[in-house]
Amino acid sequence: MSFYDRLTRLDKLPYEGVWKQYTALDVKRALRLEQLDEDGVMALLSPAAEPYLEEMAQKAHRLTRAQFGHVMQLFTPMYLADFCVNHCTYCSFSSIYDFPRKKLTLEEVRREAETIAATGLRHILILTGESRNESPVSYLKDCVEVLRGYFSSVSIEVNPLTTEEYADLRQAGVDGLTLYQEVYHQETYRQLHVKGPKRVYRNRLDAPERGCLAGFRSVNIGALLGMYEWRQEALATALHARYLQDKYPECEIGLSIPRFRPYLGEFNPASDVTDRALVQIILAYRLFLPRSGISLSTREPAALRDHLVHLGITRMSAGVSTEVGGHSLEGGTPQFEISDNRSVQEIKEMLEEKGLQPVFKDWDSLDEPLAMP
Amino acid sequence: MQDPLIIGGVTLTSRLFIGTGKYSRNTLIPEVIARSGSQVITVALRRVDPESKDNIISHIPSHMTLLPNTSGARTAEEAVRIARLARSAGLGDWVKIEVINDQKYLLPDNTETIRATEILAAEGFIVLPYMSPDLSAALRLKAAGAAAVMPLGAPIGSNRGLQTKELIRILISETGLPIIVDAGIGRPSEAAEAMEMGAAAVLLNTAIATARDPQLMAEAFREAVSAGRKAYLAGLGPVEETAAASSPLTGFLA
C-alpha cells in the first residue's frame, strides 16, 4: 500500500462538481470539529470557505500558538550543485539551459557554512540538482560531514533516493528530508517533466515514505502551487501528509507551500494562486494537521511573509540565496528569483517586533552510535 | 507553615515547576520566574545554544534548579544521549525524561521512558520521567530509580486540564513517590485541583507562556498551587452526593 493507490482513487473525483457542492454549513461544521476529517478539509479548501478566512485564521492562530508557542524556527537553504540531468519546463537548473554549472568543493562548502553560521543560523537545508555523476550520495555525505561542524541540524532537498541511500545519509547525520512532489496531478506531471529520471512520477511520490522508513526525524512535503488547480493540489498534499503521519507517527511530517516563481525560461503557471488562495491553503493545512510544521520560503514577498507569520507558519527561511555558493562566492545562477531579500538579522527583528521569538537552534545531532547496556 | 518538597536532596518551598518554551521573548523568563515563585525550571536541551548571545540559560537566575528535558527524543537511547549532553554542558544532574514517538498526539512512550530511567538513575542523575499515567509503569519507574514521576493531565499544549484525574489519583495513592502533574493544565483552578488531590507539584508551560499577560498568569498559578496544597494539608471535607437525610433509614437500630 502506498499513497499512490489513495491518490489514484482521488484523481477520479469529479472535482469541478465536488468543490461546488460544499456550502457555508459544511464550512461551519468543519470549523467546529475538534479533529478535521477529509470532508472537513475539502470544505475548507472549497469556494464556500472563502468568506470564512477570518474565522479559519483565528482558529489556526490559536492552535499554532498553543502547540508551538510564540516562536518561529529559522533555517536557510544552501545550494551545493546545479548540475541536472532533468528537463523540467519550470526550472532554471533544467538541462536544456546553457550556463556554467557549478558544484562546491568541500573547501567551498566549509566557507559557505562559515558565512551562514556567522548569521546565527543552526539549521541548514542542502540542495542539489539531479546528477548521479556530479552530486552522488557520496558527495552529499562528504558535505554533511563538513556541515555538521557548523550546524546542529542538516536536512536535504535532493532528487529521490532509495531507502538504503536515505538510511546511509541518516547515518551520516542528516536529520530531515524535504521533497516536493511539484504537482500531484499525474497528467500535468508528465507534461512538465519532459526528460530525465524525474519523469517517473511514482518514484517521486513514494520517496517521502522511503524517507520515513529510513528513519529521518522529519519529512517535509509540498506541491509547487500554480502548476495545476490549487484546491486539488492542496488536498492531495494534505492527504499525503496525513497518510504519512498516520503510518509513521514517530516522524514529524511537515508541509511547505511553495508558490511558483519566475525563473530563466518562460513557463506560465496554469492556476493563479492569489494571496487569498495561499492563505486559504495554509489555514486548511493547519486545521487539518494541527501539530505539523508549516514552512514559508522567501519565494513570498516580505510584506506578505510578515502577515503570514501569525497564520500557522512555524518555520521560515532567512538570508536566502538560491545560487550555488551564493553566500560566499560570486557569479552563480539562481534556481528561481526570491522575493524576500532580507538578512537573517532583519528577519529576526521583524519577528521580535511581531511578538515572536526567532529560534535558531531546535535540535542537536545525535547520530554517533551509543553503547546501551 | 513548613511544607517542603524534597527531591534529589534539594529542598523546595515552591510546588510550581515551570518551562522555558513558547515565550515570545526569552527576557520574559526572569519576570515569570519571579512572579511564579518557582524554583525549578525545565529547559529543552535542543534549544540550548551556548554560542548564542540569546542563550536561554543566560536568562535563568542562578538560584533556580535546572531541569533539562529530553524533548525530541524518540527512543531511550536518544534520551540517554541528550541527558548526558546536558550534564556535560554543565546543566546539572536533574533530567526530565521525555520520550515521544507519536507526533500526532505527543504522548510519551512509557516503555522507552522506563529503559532510559534505569540507565540514567544508575549514572547518578536525578530522574523525573514524563509519562502516561499508568500504575504498573509508575511502579517500574520507581524501581528503576525515578525521583518522582510526572504523569500527564492531558496531551502537551492542549490546555484541557486533568483529563486523567482518576489515573493520577491512583498514582498518588499507590506509588509512594512524589507525583508531579505535567502537561495539560490550562487554568489555575486545574492546578489547584491537582494539588488538592495530593499531587506533590505541577509543571506547566503553555498556560503561562501563551497567556496574554504571562507574568500575571504566573502569579495566578503561584496562588492556585499554594491554595490547592493548603487545602490538601488541611484535609478537605467529604463530598456528599446528596444532602444528609433528615430521617435516617437505620435510626431504629439501637
Coordinates of all heavy atoms in Angstrom, one line a residue, chain B residues 123-174:
Chain B
E123 N 23.4 6.1 36.6 CA 24.5 7.1 36.3 C 24.5 8.3 37.3 O 25.3 9.2 37.1 CB 24.5 7.5 34.9 CG 24.8 6.4 33.9 CD 24.8 6.9 32.4 OE1 24.8 8.1 32.2 OE2 24.9 6.0 31.6
G124 N 23.6 8.2 38.2 CA 23.6 9.3 39.2 C 22.7 10.5 38.9 O 22.7 11.5 39.6
F125 N 21.9 10.4 37.8 CA 21.0 11.5 37.5 C 19.8 11.5 38.5 O 19.4 10.4 39.0 CB 20.5 11.4 36.1 CG 21.4 11.8 35.0 CD1 22.3 10.9 34.4 CD2 21.4 13.1 34.5 CE1 23.2 11.3 33.4 CE2 22.3 13.5 33.5 CZ 23.2 12.6 33.0
I126 N 19.3 12.7 38.7 CA 18.0 12.8 39.4 C 16.9 12.8 38.3 O 16.8 13.7 37.6 CB 17.9 14.1 40.2 CG1 19.1 14.4 41.1 CG2 16.6 14.2 41.0 CD1 19.4 13.3 42.1
V127 N 16.3 11.6 38.2 CA 15.4 11.4 37.0 C 14.0 11.7 37.3 O 13.4 11.1 38.2 CB 15.6 9.9 36.5 CG1 14.8 9.7 35.2 CG2 17.1 9.6 36.2
L128 N 13.4 12.6 36.5 CA 11.9 12.8 36.6 C 11.3 12.5 35.3 O 11.3 13.3 34.4 CB 11.7 14.3 37.0 CG 12.1 14.7 38.4 CD1 13.5 15.0 38.6 CD2 11.2 16.0 38.8
P129 N 10.7 11.3 35.2 CA 10.2 10.9 33.9 C 8.8 11.4 33.6 O 7.9 11.4 34.5 CB 10.2 9.4 34.0 CG 10.3 9.1 35.4 CD 10.8 10.2 36.2
Y130 N 8.6 11.9 32.4 CA 7.2 12.3 32.0 C 6.6 11.1 31.4 O 7.2 10.3 30.7 CB 7.4 13.4 30.9 CG 6.2 13.7 30.1 CD1 5.1 14.2 30.8 CD2 6.1 13.6 28.7 CE1 3.9 14.6 30.1 CE2 4.9 14.0 28.0 CZ 3.9 14.5 28.7 OH 2.7 14.8 28.1
M131 N 5.4 10.8 31.8 CA 4.7 9.5 31.5 C 3.2 9.6 31.2 O 2.6 10.6 31.7 CB 5.0 8.5 32.6 CG 4.5 9.0 33.9 SD 3.7 7.9 35.0 CE 3.9 6.3 34.5
S132 N 2.7 8.6 30.6 CA 1.2 8.4 30.6 C 0.9 7.8 31.9 O 1.5 6.8 32.3 CB 0.8 7.5 29.4 OG 0.8 8.2 28.2
P133 N -0.1 8.3 32.6 CA -0.4 7.8 33.9 C -0.9 6.3 33.9 O -2.0 6.0 33.5 CB -1.5 8.7 34.5 CG -2.0 9.4 33.3 CD -1.0 9.4 32.2
D134 N 0.0 5.4 34.3 CA -0.3 4.0 34.3 C 0.4 3.5 35.6 O 1.6 3.7 35.7 CB 0.3 3.4 33.1 CG 0.2 1.9 33.1 OD1 -0.9 1.4 32.8 OD2 1.2 1.3 33.4
L135 N -0.3 2.8 36.4 CA 0.3 2.4 37.7 C 1.5 1.4 37.5 O 2.5 1.6 38.2 CB -0.8 1.7 38.6 CG -0.3 1.2 39.9 CD1 0.3 2.4 40.7 CD2 -1.4 0.6 40.7
S136 N 1.3 0.4 36.7 CA 2.4 -0.5 36.6 C 3.7 0.2 36.0 O 4.8 -0.1 36.5 CB 2.1 -1.8 35.8 OG 1.8 -1.4 34.5
A137 N 3.5 1.1 35.1 CA 4.7 1.8 34.5 C 5.3 2.7 35.6 O 6.5 2.8 35.8 CB 4.2 2.6 33.3
A138 N 4.4 3.3 36.4 CA 4.9 4.2 37.5 C 5.7 3.4 38.5 O 6.8 3.8 39.0 CB 3.8 4.9 38.2
L139 N 5.3 2.2 38.8 CA 6.0 1.3 39.8 C 7.3 0.9 39.2 O 8.3 0.8 39.9 CB 5.1 0.1 40.2 CG 3.9 0.5 41.1 CD1 3.0 -0.7 41.3 CD2 4.3 1.2 42.4
R140 N 7.3 0.6 37.9 CA 8.6 0.2 37.3 C 9.5 1.4 37.3 O 10.8 1.2 37.4 CB 8.3 -0.3 35.8 CG 7.7 -1.6 35.8 CD 7.8 -2.3 34.5 NE 7.2 -3.6 34.6 CZ 6.0 -3.9 34.2 NH1 5.3 -3.0 33.5 NH2 5.5 -5.1 34.3
L141 N 9.0 2.6 37.1 CA 9.9 3.8 37.1 C 10.5 4.0 38.5 O 11.6 4.3 38.7 CB 9.1 5.0 36.7 CG 8.7 5.1 35.2 CD1 7.7 6.2 35.0 CD2 10.0 5.4 34.4
K142 N 9.6 3.7 39.5 CA 10.1 3.8 40.9 C 11.3 2.8 41.1 O 12.3 3.1 41.6 CB 9.0 3.5 41.8 CG 9.4 3.6 43.3 CD 8.2 3.3 44.2 CE 8.6 3.6 45.6 NZ 7.5 3.2 46.5
A143 N 11.0 1.5 40.7 CA 12.1 0.5 40.8 C 13.3 0.9 40.0 O 14.4 0.5 40.4 CB 11.5 -0.8 40.3
A144 N 13.1 1.6 38.9 CA 14.3 2.0 38.1 C 15.1 3.1 38.7 O 16.1 3.5 38.2 CB 13.8 2.3 36.7
G145 N 14.5 3.8 39.7 CA 15.3 4.8 40.4 C 14.8 6.2 40.2 O 15.5 7.2 40.4
A146 N 13.5 6.4 39.7 CA 13.0 7.7 39.4 C 12.8 8.4 40.8 O 12.4 7.8 41.8 CB 11.6 7.6 38.7
A147 N 13.1 9.7 40.7 CA 13.0 10.5 42.0 C 11.6 11.0 42.2 O 11.2 11.4 43.3 CB 13.9 11.8 41.9
A148 N 10.8 11.0 41.1 CA 9.4 11.4 41.1 C 8.9 10.9 39.8 O 9.6 10.6 38.9 CB 9.2 12.9 41.2
V149 N 7.5 10.9 39.6 CA 7.0 10.6 38.3 C 6.1 11.8 37.9 O 5.4 12.4 38.7 CB 6.3 9.3 38.1 CG1 7.3 8.1 38.2 CG2 5.2 9.1 39.1
M150 N 6.1 12.0 36.6 CA 5.3 13.2 36.1 C 4.3 12.7 35.0 O 4.5 12.8 33.8 CB 6.3 14.1 35.5 CG 7.4 14.5 36.5 SD 8.1 16.2 36.3 CE 8.9 16.1 34.8
P151 N 3.1 12.3 35.5 CA 2.0 11.9 34.6 C 1.4 13.1 33.9 O 1.4 14.2 34.5 CB 1.0 11.3 35.6 CG 1.2 11.9 36.9 CD 2.7 12.2 37.0
L152 N 0.9 12.9 32.7 CA 0.3 14.0 32.0 C -1.2 14.1 32.5 O -1.9 13.1 32.7 CB 0.4 13.8 30.5 CG -0.2 12.5 29.9 CD1 -1.7 12.8 29.5 CD2 0.6 12.1 28.7
G153 N -1.7 15.4 32.5 CA -3.1 15.6 32.8 C -3.9 15.5 31.5 O -5.1 15.1 31.5
A154 N -3.3 15.9 30.4 CA -3.9 15.9 29.1 C -2.7 16.1 28.1 O -1.6 16.4 28.6 CB -4.9 17.0 28.9
P155 N -2.9 15.8 26.8 CA -1.7 16.0 25.9 C -1.1 17.4 26.0 O -1.7 18.4 26.3 CB -2.4 15.8 24.5 CG -3.5 14.8 24.8 CD -4.0 15.3 26.2
I156 N 0.2 17.4 25.7 CA 1.0 18.6 25.8 C 0.4 19.7 25.0 O -0.1 19.5 23.9 CB 2.4 18.4 25.2 CG1 3.2 17.4 26.0 CG2 3.2 19.7 25.1 CD1 4.6 17.0 25.4
G157 N 0.3 20.9 25.6 CA -0.1 22.1 24.8 C -1.6 22.1 24.6 O -2.2 23.0 24.0
S158 N -2.4 21.1 25.2 CA -3.8 21.1 24.9 C -4.6 21.9 25.8 O -5.8 22.2 25.5 CB -4.3 19.6 25.0 OG -4.3 19.1 26.3
N159 N -4.1 22.3 27.0 CA -4.8 23.1 28.0 C -6.1 22.5 28.3 O -7.1 23.2 28.6 CB -5.1 24.5 27.4 CG -3.8 25.4 27.5 OD1 -2.8 25.0 28.1 ND2 -3.8 26.5 26.8
R160 N -6.2 21.2 28.3 CA -7.5 20.5 28.6 C -7.7 20.2 30.0 O -8.8 19.6 30.4 CB -7.6 19.2 27.8 CG -7.9 19.5 26.3 CD -7.6 18.2 25.6 NE -7.9 18.4 24.2 CZ -9.1 18.2 23.6 NH1 -10.1 17.9 24.4 NH2 -9.3 18.4 22.4
G161 N -6.7 20.4 30.8 CA -6.9 20.1 32.3 C -6.7 18.7 32.7 O -6.0 17.9 32.0
L162 N -7.3 18.3 33.8 CA -6.9 17.0 34.4 C -7.8 15.9 33.8 O -8.7 15.3 34.5 CB -7.1 17.1 35.9 CG -6.1 17.9 36.7 CD1 -6.5 18.0 38.1 CD2 -4.7 17.3 36.5
Q163 N -7.7 15.6 32.6 CA -8.5 14.5 32.0 C -8.2 13.2 32.5 O -9.0 12.3 32.5 CB -8.3 14.5 30.4 CG -8.7 15.8 29.8 CD -10.2 16.1 29.9 OE1 -11.0 15.1 29.9 NE2 -10.6 17.3 30.0
T164 N -7.0 13.0 33.0 CA -6.5 11.7 33.5 C -6.6 11.6 35.0 O -5.9 10.8 35.7 CB -5.1 11.4 33.1 OG1 -4.3 12.4 33.7 CG2 -4.9 11.4 31.6
K165 N -7.5 12.4 35.6 CA -7.6 12.6 37.0 C -7.6 11.2 37.8 O -6.9 11.0 38.8 CB -8.8 13.4 37.4 CG -9.0 13.8 38.8 CD -9.9 15.0 38.9 CE -11.3 14.7 38.3 NZ -12.1 15.9 38.5
E166 N -8.5 10.3 37.4 CA -8.7 9.1 38.2 C -7.4 8.3 38.2 O -7.0 7.6 39.2 CB -9.8 8.2 37.6 CG -11.2 8.9 37.8 CD -11.4 9.3 39.3 OE1 -11.1 8.6 40.2 OE2 -11.9 10.5 39.4
L167 N -6.7 8.3 37.1 CA -5.4 7.5 37.0 C -4.3 8.2 37.8 O -3.5 7.5 38.5 CB -5.0 7.4 35.5 CG -6.0 6.6 34.7 CD1 -5.6 6.8 33.2 CD2 -6.0 5.2 35.1
I168 N -4.3 9.5 37.8 CA -3.3 10.2 38.6 C -3.6 10.0 40.1 O -2.7 9.8 40.9 CB -3.4 11.7 38.3 CG1 -2.8 11.9 36.9 CG2 -2.6 12.6 39.3 CD1 -2.8 13.4 36.4
R169 N -4.9 10.0 40.5 CA -5.3 9.7 41.9 C -4.7 8.4 42.3 O -4.2 8.2 43.5 CB -6.8 9.7 42.0 CG -7.4 9.9 43.4 CD -8.9 9.6 43.4 NE -9.7 10.5 42.6 CZ -10.0 11.8 42.9 NH1 -9.5 12.3 44.0 NH2 -10.7 12.5 42.1
I170 N -4.7 7.4 41.5 CA -4.2 6.1 41.8 C -2.7 6.1 42.0 O -2.1 5.6 42.9 CB -4.6 5.0 40.7 CG1 -6.1 4.8 40.8 CG2 -3.8 3.7 40.9 CD1 -6.6 4.0 39.6
L171 N -2.0 6.9 41.1 CA -0.5 7.0 41.3 C -0.2 7.7 42.6 O 0.7 7.3 43.3 CB 0.1 7.8 40.1 CG -0.1 7.3 38.7 CD1 0.9 8.1 37.8 CD2 0.2 5.8 38.6
I172 N -1.0 8.7 43.0 CA -0.7 9.4 44.2 C -0.9 8.5 45.4 O -0.1 8.5 46.3 CB -1.7 10.6 44.4 CG1 -1.3 11.7 43.3 CG2 -1.6 11.2 45.8 CD1 -2.3 12.8 43.2
S173 N -1.9 7.6 45.3 CA -2.2 6.8 46.4 C -1.3 5.6 46.5 O -1.0 5.1 47.6 CB -3.7 6.4 46.4 OG -3.9 5.1 46.5
E174 N -0.8 5.1 45.4 CA -0.1 3.8 45.4 C 1.4 3.8 45.2 O 2.1 2.8 45.5 CB -0.7 2.9 44.3 CG -2.2 2.6 44.4 CD -2.6 2.0 45.7 OE1 -1.8 1.1 46.2 OE2 -3.6 2.4 46.3

